[in-house]
Amino acid sequence: MIRVSKLGFIGLSAVDRDGMAEYYSRIMGLAKQEETPDGLYFSCGPEHHAVGLRFGSEPGMEHIGLELAGDGSLAEAQKALAAAGVPSEIRSDTVPGIAECLRLADPDGATIYLYRQAEPSAKAYSGNGGVAPTKLGHVAYFVENAKRSERFFTENLGFRWADWVEDVFLFMRCNADHHTLNFLQSAKRGMFHFAFELRDFSHVEQTCDLLARENIPLIWGPGRHGAGHNIFIYHHDPDGNIVEYFAELDRMSDESLGYYDPKPYHEDSPQRPKVWPHHPLSGNKWGVRPPDGFGAINLARKTA
Ligand SMILES: [Fe+2]
């Protein structure tokens, strides 16, 4: 079976071209890596880009890019997917910085590009300050049936479940980080939010002050999530996408142990993947609830 080792990039359809370019370069502090007639690409680390903006008329997520572990050919990966009944196609030069990738759709129609090698970034950060997160950490999107998403990503792409909130909010990991993808069962469709890692709590504080200077209000946080135990803040980018900055996300450094690296704020000792109750304190251990409508979990069970 093929196995995903990390989240590499997210592709967004960008409506407010100038505002989005300004936000991701000057405010987030990412370096513009490439400009095409219809888009802009920003790096956040050693690879070509973490955020791709393609100018469009509707905002939101266009695709996610997942790097494959190992060094086999994409044709072999395609064969393995086909054997499991998952159609895919090999594409060349579809995504800037990725010479060859495998395009497929998840059960909700989300576009996924699998790749083995991204071009290096010429420059990881703008050099002009800004938030300067350490990496693109995770993407969360709405799905019709979270159990179905779990099966798809476990059986075909080597993900493991990290935590559930009841059976409607699923966190999945593909490496030591607690989650790389989140699936929120909802009547909504599309992206819920995407998230960038900050160094520590003082970096979160600096980021709150930086956003305040830019007149960008927080919509939730700072707080500490239950599942994943990360410190979080959420705000909107100029297109209205929900962007999370986080720190102190749980990590399972040794997969064979089966529990997250112990922390004093854990409820369990040791803290293993588990099913959390749908309760405000699972969302924020510090007790402040999200604004109305945030997330919009659909508690109607879909266990088929
Ligand atoms: Fe998140």
Side-chain angles (χ1 to χ4, degrees), residues 138 179 182 193 195 234 244:
H138 62 266
H179 57 281
N182 286 18
H193 69 267
Y234 293 89
E244 176 188 2

Side-chain angles (χ1 to χ4, degrees), residues 7-14 16-36 38-55 63 95-98 115 118-129 132-136 194 196 237-239:
L7 169 66
F9 55 86
I10 182 168
L12 301 173
S13 170
D16 179 353
R17 296 179 181 205
D18 294 343
M20 291 287 277
E22 163 92 354
Y23 175 80
Y24 287 96
S25 57
R26 189 179 63 80
I27 297 175
M28 193 177 283
L30 309 185
K32 187 166 75 178
Q33 206 66 214
E34 188 168 339
E35 185 162 3
T36 64
D38 65 348
L40 287 167
Y41 297 83
F42 298 95
S43 58
C44 181
E47 287 157 2
H48 180 273
H49 72 274
V51 178
L53 306 180
R54 221 158 58 86
F55 307 131
H63 59 254
V95 181
I98 308 289
Y115 65 97
E119 286 173 21
S121 60
K123 199 176 170 198
Y125 296 97
S126 69
N128 297 321
T134 48
K135 67 179 177 187
L136 172 64
F194 63 119
F196 294 84
D237 75 8
D239 265 356

Side-chain angles (χ1 to χ4, degrees), residues 1 31 36 83 103 109 147 157 161 183 198 201 211 242 276 279:
M1 189 178 72
T36 64
R103 179 191 164 122
K147 288 279 183 196
L157 298 174
W161 72 279
F183 302 106
L198 304 186
F201 192 56
L211 293 175
I242 298 177
W276 293 70
H279 182 276

Side-chain angles (χ1 to χ4, degrees), residues 7 9 17 26 66 100 117 127 135 139 184 187 210 255 296:
L7 169 66
F9 55 86
R17 296 179 181 205
R26 189 179 63 80
L66 301 172
E100 197 181 46
Q117 187 79 49
K135 67 179 177 187
V139 178
L184 183 53
L210 186 153
E255 185 77 24

Side-chain angles (χ1 to χ4, degrees), residues 137-140 169 171 179 182 192-196 225 227 230 232-234 243-246 249 294:
H138 62 266
V139 178
F169 195 7
F171 299 78
H179 57 281
N182 286 18
F192 173 21
H193 69 267
F194 63 119
F196 294 84
H225 284 313
N230 46 308
F232 64 85
I233 53 171
Y234 293 89
V243 178
E244 176 188 2
Y245 290 119
F246 68 90
L249 181 69
F294 190 88

